[in-house]
Amino acid sequence: MPVSDSSSPSSDPRVADVRARLEAAHAASASPPEKAAAKLASQGKLYVRDRIALLVDEGSFVEDGRYANALQPGLPADGVVTGRGTVDGRPVIVIANDPTVKAGSWGSRTVEKIVRATEMALREELPVFWFVDSAGARITDQVEMFPGRRGAGRIFHNQVALSGKVPQICCLFGPSAAGGAYIPSFTDLLIMVEGNASMYLGSPRMAEMVVGEKVSLDEMGGARMHCTVSGVGDILVHDDAEAIEMAKLYFSYVPQNWRSPLPSYAAESPSAPLTRASVPERESQPFDVHEVIDGLVDDDSFFEIKSLFAPELVVGLGRMDGETVGIVANNSMVKGGVLFTDSADKAARFIWLCDAYSIPLVYLADVPGFMIGSEVERGGIIRHGAKMVSAVSSATVPQFCVVVRKAYGAGLYAMGGPGFGPDATIALPTARIAVMGPEAAVNAVYANKIAEVEAAEGAEARDAYVAERRAEYEEDVDLERLAADLVIDHIVEPEDLRAELLHRLRYAAGRDRAFATKRRGIPPV
């Protein structure tokens, strides 16, 4: 704000007083106090306005509610900066906690500003960037900001209304405590700064008081824990600047809102084209599926999500010929590519995201099936697997199932197999589709007979018998037979796979997006 001129003979002292107070309030939220700035520096953090400046295009940010709670000393902007700007020319809403104001805690006006910002996003269908760094609610303001119709609960209600309507991207720079921890969890993408970011419903001190557990903050809700164990976090980064860079990069893959087309970019060739050597022919030989992904997408365009969580399944966004696609791929390098409860959850949420924003899906199947055993059964492998299958079934975007090697049992279903109406099921010559692998199948069906042969004729006769049964089984599920029976739509060599998919993606662009006429499904939890 410009400095007021009170020397004019027509000046009014009351106006001069207002100007002076507004200038002071404006200045109070322009930069952190010296002590707060030192603390930010010691934590490797940026000031809230510097964070926003890194995100939005220069000169584009328009702020709302800067004078919130200006009559109360020590609460500039009431601890949150809200407004709108552009990111790479695209209009967005920004909601950013200021950790230098009462540790970014919420008061009644903090909540009102956030509610108004989310209402604006709903009205205009604008993407929302959440910059979270907050100790949670101020207990002194709880009656005003917690229970009412425009209390903190309204934030979560609006976030759910925004979900699937516009992208919501969260950078978690510091704590997100108690009920406030739900803000990041409702967003599409959660980027967490290692060493600073944390999320928890109850602090370590509260856990010790209530349940008698002694645990550190990192163990309870640290960034690495959430990105590797709980799966709440999507991407782990080193500092604020990297978090904002990743947020902008992700934004480049998704549309402005659910009605908008996907961003398009100049087409590029893959970093290393696929060859016949890219996929080992022996299904028991593990390999890194990232090599196949890199051979399909444009150079350096794969944006992996939840890379540290359930890495037996790889999900992420890439570009093929400049257009956004979603990739779901089994990785035999990790746990043999078997599907677990966590990998099923990871896949389901990613598929929902792609379906919400009209992003075509490519499944790269190399899966022995879902994990078995008492531990995973007690952990709900059936309901988690059903959640993934439900997501695959109800997605209406173009979907392509590529059988890279094995696709056994319900693993074929979870990876968008023929029964789920993909736009095409394509196989490489290395592909195998069956209820289970030959060895397991022979043992399951002929266990008693194998024991009899061994008892009567010895180990050599047993091995010969098993080999005969295995040959019969493999003939039954021969790849050419599956193609002849129209289970598979096409068989291509690895070097031709990208071109094949590109043709089919273009043709599928106008497909019908209807699934079933009903109010909603009831997916497994």
Side-chain angles (χ1 to χ4, degrees):
M1 287 185 67
V3 177
S4 60
D5 179 8
S6 59
S7 61
S8 170
S10 62
S11 63
D12 186 329
R14 292 172 301 177
V15 175
D17 176 62
V18 169
R19 282 183 171 145
R21 285 187 284 113
L22 289 177
E23 288 166 8
H26 189 278
S29 67
S31 60
E34 186 176 340
K35 184 178 178 180
K39 183 177 180 181
L40 288 177
S42 70
Q43 295 173 319
K45 290 184 176 183
L46 299 174
Y47 182 52
V48 60
R49 296 189 182 280
D50 295 329
R51 290 169 176 169
I52 294 171
L54 281 179
L55 173 70
V56 300
D57 302 335
E58 186 175 359
S60 70
F61 188 63
V62 177
E63 186 173 349
D64 295 316
R66 181 155 186 165
Y67 299 102
N69 226 357
L71 298 179
Q72 182 70 29
L75 292 171
D78 211 35
V80 67
V81 179
T82 60
R84 56 196 299 169
T86 60
V87 175
D88 295 330
R90 300 165 64 185
V92 303
I93 298 290
V94 181
I95 302 169
N97 298 124
D98 182 352
T100 69
V101 178
K102 300 284 187 185
S105 59
W106 295 2
S108 59
R109 292 166 184 82
T110 318
V111 170
E112 178 63 21
K113 286 175 67 173
I114 297 173
V115 168
R116 290 186 186 187
T118 55
E119 287 173 343
M120 187 186 301
L122 283 166
R123 281 195 308 271
E124 302 182 37
E125 296 193 342
L126 293 175
V128 183
F129 282 82
W130 297 85
F131 283 3
V132 178
D133 194 344
S134 171
R138 295 176 208 148
I139 300 301
T140 53
D141 286 25
Q142 64 174 318
V143 175
E144 292 82 7
M145 56 77 62
F146 174 67
R149 291 180 178 272
R150 293 187 71 79
R154 195 70 191 177
I155 299 171
F156 309 142
H157 177 277
N158 288 353
Q159 279 193 278
V160 174
L162 287 165
S163 178
K165 183 184 287 287
V166 301
Q168 296 186 77
I169 304 166
C170 179
C171 293
L172 185 52
F173 299 113
S176 184
Y182 286 108
I183 282 183
S185 68
F186 284 127
T187 62
D188 303 339
L189 187 80
L190 172 53
I191 303 165
M192 302 184 73
V193 179
E194 187 165 20
N196 283 334
S198 62
M199 296 174 67
Y200 48 84
L201 298 183
S203 68
R205 182 170 57 183
M206 186 178 295
E208 184 174 357
M209 290 174 58
V210 176
V211 299
E213 180 186 15
K214 291 187 176 182
V215 63
S216 71
L217 178 59
D218 281 343
E219 293 169 328
M220 170 73 79
R224 181 164 289 275
M225 188 285 289
H226 278 306
C227 288
T228 59
V229 180
S230 76
V232 174
D234 294 304
I235 297 175
L236 188 68
V237 297
H238 294 100
D239 56 31
D240 291 10
E242 185 183 1
I244 295 166
E245 180 183 353
M246 294 299 285
K248 293 175 72 171
L249 180 58
Y250 169 81
F251 189 50
S252 72
Y253 289 88
V254 294
Q256 186 72 5
N257 55 51
W258 69 290
R259 305 176 198 271
S260 304
L262 292 165
S264 293
Y265 295 85
E268 295 186 34
S269 299
S271 57
L274 289 178
T275 68
R276 299 185 187 190
S278 300
V279 180
E281 295 184 3
R282 289 174 51 243
E283 69 174 55
S284 60
Q285 181 180 341
F287 78 105
D288 190 348
V289 78
H290 289 92
E291 296 178 17
V292 175
I293 296 171
D294 289 343
L296 291 177
V297 302
D298 296 1
D299 184 25
D300 196 29
S301 73
F302 186 57
F303 185 96
E304 188 169 357
I305 296 172
K306 293 189 188 297
S307 63
L308 301 177
F309 177 72
E312 65 273 10
L313 188 80
V314 176
V315 303
L317 302 173
R319 295 191 179 98
M320 293 183 66
D321 221 26
E323 305 297 325
T324 303
V325 296
I327 305 287
V328 180
N330 308 115
N331 193 3
S332 61
M333 284 290 288
V334 182
K335 300 179 181 179
V338 175
L339 291 168
F340 289 78
T341 54
D342 285 344
S343 37
D345 284 354
K346 174 179 174 177
R349 191 163 196 273
F350 179 73
I351 292 165
W352 289 330
L353 182 145
C354 289
D355 197 41
Y357 299 131
S358 301
I359 300 171
L361 282 157
V362 176
Y363 300 88
L364 301 176
D366 183 12
V367 57
F370 284 90
M371 189 60 184
I372 61 173
S374 62
E375 183 178 350
V376 292
E377 293 294 357
R378 290 167 66 89
I381 187 74
I382 294 172
R383 62 183 172 87
H384 288 272
K387 187 191 305 182
M388 180 177 178
V389 172
S390 175
V392 172
S393 301
S394 58
T396 60
V397 290
Q399 298 186 83
F400 297 90
C401 174
V402 178
V403 185
V404 177
R405 294 198 303 184
K406 55 195 173 295
Y408 294 154
L412 173 66
Y413 298 163
M415 295 300 289
F420 292 81
D423 291 77
T425 301
I426 302 167
L428 301 184
T430 47
R432 289 186 177 189
I433 296 175
V435 172
M436 61 184 73
E439 185 175 344
V442 169
N443 287 331
V445 176
Y446 299 105
N448 293 337
K449 183 64 177 177
I450 291 170
E452 289 175 14
V453 171
E454 183 176 16
E457 304 176 44
E460 189 173 333
R462 175 205 63 200
D463 292 344
Y465 179 80
V466 169
E468 289 173 8
R469 302 290 80 75
R470 180 169 179 154
E472 290 173 359
Y473 185 84
E474 290 179 343
E475 182 179 347
D476 193 44
V477 295
D478 177 71
L479 188 60
E480 186 179 13
R481 175 180 176 177
L482 293 175
D485 289 343
L486 301 180
V487 173
I488 293 168
D489 296 300
H490 198 27
I491 303 171
V492 301
E493 293 289 351
E495 58 266 28
D496 301 320
L497 180 58
R498 174 178 156 96
E500 180 76 16
L501 286 170
L502 283 173
H503 279 304
R504 292 181 181 271
L505 282 163
R506 294 187 192 104
Y507 295 143
R511 70 169 287 172
D512 178 33
R513 293 297 306 274
F515 173 61
T517 302
K518 54 186 177 182
R519 287 189 175 88
R520 61 165 297 135
I522 308 170
V525 176

